[in-house]
Amino acid sequence: MAGRGQGSAGDLLELVRTGRATTRGALQQATGLSRATVGQRLDRLFRAGWLREGAGGPVDSPQGGRPSITLEFDDAHAVVLAADLDTRHARAAVLTLTGEILAECGGTLVVEDGPDAVLGTLGGWFADLLEKAGRRPEEVCGIGLGVPGPVDSGTGRVVQPPIMPGWDGYDIRGRLSRAFTERTGAPAGVPVLVDNDANLMAYGEQRTGHPDCTAFVLVKVSTGIGAGVVVDGGIFRGVDGGAGDIGHIRVGADALCRCGSHGCLAAVASGGAVARRLADAGVPAASGSDVRDLLAAGHPEAAALAREAGRRVGDVLATVVTLLNPGVLMIAGDLAGTAFLTGVRELLYQRALPRSTARLDVVTSRLGERAGLVGAGALVVEHLYAPERAEARLLALGV
């Protein structure tokens, strides 16, 4: 008999998508379903265009015979849209269902202009990107969005975001879905998923470069500071999306943070904080991206301040590493260069328990500015093609 929750077409799709069972025989073994029932379930997936037959695989029977036909998730039947907002800049892309970027763009987009204007602009970007990718609006199955603030994943609304004035509690999902429809003529109600930007970066990086790491931490240091945590392949968000907000841990300084408190880590060690110190010293810098450009140019004072900021962040990360015992700690964002990483390592290995760092890899981002886009796309796909939701969507399609 099939185990509970392992007999639907959605369950079979999950087994194929994850590579756990990619032939009809393997699906029978994994689910306990009969050959005829497996065939019926697969027929629904083929009619929806979600599965395709691949090349012949290994022979199922030890007695030999014809090779089994492998089954593959067909990533060509739909596309995903993704966007990643920073405080003054954004990126957007069209992706396949397996994470390949078909078209992308980036540009100035200021979150302080408010959600209505920002999300309306993204709708226009998406329309242009679909045309560039040669895909129709009707092919979009979902939209993923990363934002620089804590998000309640149940509602998709940001919760008291320190650096997103006017966004608290706003219906981001509804507005972005409407903006997409208004700018493209797509059917109304395209699903939108919203998450914290560091969460999505961590999700994209872990799935792409470190799939076997069961405890993965990414720290984004740009205008602010935030962390994304992936445990056993899933994003750890806490009870209401506040997990990973390490930029507002108090570190004993007097600096005023944008959240209204004094002494937050972000107030003294973020890209914005380093930019302010450089500006006070007469070096033109207004944001983390300006600091990034100065570091790339080898500016000595920027490098010194970045290393100092890294030491402050490394001091906090010693506690994070001791608590979570990750296998990978990834540094990303505007300050993720040699100077900052050197500072992080200095304090991290000095303060953390040796056992917590014995098997720890401290690395920098592989995907760079694309990490949040890849993570947002993956989040949409995992949501829409999860077994129960896939089954509901198949019924809605009439197959």
Side-chain angles (χ1 to χ4, degrees):
M1 292 291 291
R4 178 179 174 87
Q6 293 187 346
S8 72
D11 292 309
L12 268 59
L13 178 67
E14 179 82 354
L15 290 169
V16 174
R17 274 201 325 112
T18 58
R20 287 178 286 168
T22 57
T23 66
R24 288 167 173 81
L27 289 170
Q28 287 177 244
Q29 291 180 343
T31 63
L33 297 174
S34 69
R35 179 177 179 178
T37 301
V38 167
Q40 291 168 357
R41 303 288 192 268
L42 292 178
D43 181 61
R44 297 177 65 201
L45 296 170
F46 281 119
R47 282 187 284 142
W50 294 2
L51 280 189
R52 65 188 172 206
E53 291 187 341
V59 176
D60 281 348
S61 170
Q63 282 76 40
R66 296 177 62 185
S68 301
I69 299 298
T70 59
L71 303 169
E72 301 174 349
F73 181 56
D74 190 343
D75 70 342
H77 72 269
V79 292
V80 173
L81 296 173
D84 187 17
L85 292 180
D86 208 330
T87 53
R88 304 188 63 82
H89 186 270
R91 297 193 68 81
V94 182
L95 300 94
T96 68
L97 299 181
T98 48
E100 178 188 355
I101 293 180
L102 301 176
E104 65 181 313
C105 69
T108 299
L109 201 55
V110 182
V111 293
E112 289 186 354
D113 289 344
D116 187 63
V118 169
L119 300 174
T121 298
L122 281 181
W125 286 15
F126 287 150
D128 293 340
L129 285 170
L130 284 171
E131 184 175 352
K132 182 179 178 182
R135 305 303 291 258
R136 294 176 292 107
E138 295 78 10
E139 296 180 78
V140 175
C141 64
I143 301 172
L145 175 66
V147 297
V151 177
D152 182 335
S153 60
T155 65
R157 299 172 187 251
V158 291
V159 182
Q160 299 178 356
I163 57 176
M164 298 179 70
W167 291 71
D168 186 21
Y170 186 86
D171 181 17
I172 297 174
R173 288 177 176 173
R175 175 66 181 110
L176 186 53
S177 183
R178 290 193 303 275
F180 172 64
T181 297
E182 290 164 2
R183 296 302 297 268
T184 65
V190 174
V192 175
L193 272 69
V194 185
D195 211 324
N196 171 262
D197 56 354
N199 283 349
L200 294 180
M201 291 175 69
Y203 197 49
E205 295 277 8
Q206 187 271 337
R207 289 171 61 87
T208 302
H210 305 273
D212 297 327
C213 181
T214 58
F216 178 96
V217 176
L218 177 143
V219 179
K220 178 185 178 183
V221 186
S222 290
T223 300
I225 300 176
V229 180
V230 179
V231 177
D232 292 333
I235 299 172
F236 180 77
R237 300 182 176 89
V239 296
D240 64 359
D245 202 4
I246 64 171
H248 300 285
I249 292 175
R250 305 291 176 82
V251 293
D254 292 329
L256 176 64
C257 182
R258 293 182 65 175
C259 73
S261 298
H262 287 267
C264 294
L265 179 65
V268 295
S270 65
V274 173
R276 286 190 293 274
R277 292 188 63 181
L278 286 169
D280 290 343
V283 180
S287 66
S289 59
D290 292 335
V291 178
R292 178 191 61 205
D293 294 340
L294 289 167
L295 291 171
H299 193 283
E301 191 163 359
L305 289 175
R307 182 168 179 171
E308 180 184 334
R311 288 172 58 85
R312 286 186 175 273
V313 173
D315 196 10
V316 170
L317 290 179
T319 300
V320 172
V321 165
T322 302
L323 177 66
L324 297 178
N325 189 209
V328 175
L329 172 63
M330 178 173 285
I331 307 299
D334 291 330
L335 265 61
T338 301
F340 185 86
L341 192 63
T342 298
V344 168
R345 288 177 177 274
E346 286 175 357
L347 263 290
L348 173 62
Y349 288 103
Q350 177 183 327
R351 300 289 172 84
L353 293 172
R355 183 182 181 283
S356 300
T357 57
R359 297 172 60 189
L360 175 69
D361 288 331
V362 182
V363 299
T364 54
S365 170
R366 291 187 178 187
L367 297 175
E369 292 184 330
R370 290 179 162 181
L373 298 174
V374 172
L379 188 72
V380 170
V381 172
E382 293 303 318
H383 174 79
L384 292 179
Y385 293 92
E388 289 187 8
R389 194 159 288 103
E391 188 66 27
R393 293 176 63 213
L394 288 170
L395 291 172
L397 289 171
V399 298

